[in-house]
Amino acid sequence: MIEHNNILAVTAAGVETMHALAAGVKGNLFTGRRSYTLVDAVAGETLETATTTLLPDSGNELTAALAALARTLHHAGFVHRDFYLCHIFADITPDAISLSLIDLARVIRPLPARGFRWRVKDLAQLKYSMPADWVAQCWREFLSTYLASIETHHSAAQWRRAIDRKVQTMQRRGERKA
């Protein structure tokens, strides 16, 4: 039921995501409880696969759409905690790129005092999972667009350093697993 509730909350905040069609809980405390959520299909394909067709032609559109998605989610007080390309779907039409966020089971609303830390983690996960070409060409614009419309007590330089430190930690962990 956590994901079901998160779908409803994130949708109410203006984030495009799947629609919950049905949800429920079976069982009881003695026999064990199991919940289910039935959702519809999200239009498009994951950004993990779509970036090959989107880049380099639609780099600016993608950057603006990603910044809007992250800004809307974070402005509502939510963090995804798995903000990787595989959880963002792109529906590409001749007129626009529309992004939807999936896998909302780990979404939380952290205490305001912890918001910076959690937002940095989300943005670092996005940067880590994006193709190197996009990061080199578009990351600064993404971060600038994202920061232009959020209230923050941290400078752009503080955001960049914190995100880059987290990305480096993720890269080191990835090398150890390989």
Side-chain angles (χ1 to χ4, degrees), residues 3 7 23 41 78 92 98 101 113 133:
E3 184 157 31
I7 290 169
F78 296 104
I92 305 158
S98 180
L101 191 59
D133 289 347

Side-chain angles (χ1 to χ4, degrees), residues 31-167:
T31 62
R33 294 174 65 169
R34 297 178 64 157
S35 65
Y36 65 92
T37 300
L38 179 65
V39 298
D40 64 351
V42 176
E45 60 184 320
T46 68
L47 268 183
E48 197 170 42
T49 55
T51 53
T52 55
T53 57
L54 284 173
L55 299 175
D57 298 336
S58 302
N60 291 338
E61 278 182 81
L62 176 60
T63 300
L66 276 170
L69 176 66
R71 178 180 59 240
T72 303
L73 181 72
H74 291 164
H75 182 71
F78 296 104
V79 291
H80 190 271
R81 298 196 310 161
D82 265 334
F83 205 56
Y84 296 99
L85 291 185
C86 60
H87 296 138
I88 303 170
F89 272 65
D91 186 20
I92 305 158
T93 65
D95 300 328
I97 298 171
S98 180
L99 300 180
S100 298
L101 191 59
I102 66 160
D103 198 10
L104 304 181
R106 295 191 62 214
V107 167
I108 61 168
R109 200 177 234 156
L111 295 172
R114 306 295 285 167
F116 176 74
R117 173 186 180 267
W118 285 105
R119 289 175 180 155
V120 163
K121 283 182 161 193
D122 270 2
L123 298 178
Q125 290 167 345
L126 178 66
K127 185 175 182 180
Y128 177 79
S129 64
M130 287 300 284
D133 289 347
W134 182 87
V135 171
Q137 295 169 13
C138 303
W139 180 256
R140 279 194 175 283
E141 180 64 25
F142 165 83
L143 192 57
S144 175
T145 302
Y146 171 83
L147 292 174
S149 60
I150 66 163
E151 228 177 271
T152 181
H153 301 292
H154 299 86
S155 70
Q158 289 172 310
W159 279 92
R160 276 193 302 277
R161 283 192 303 270
I163 292 166
D164 287 344
R165 276 193 306 270
K166 187 65 182 167
V167 168

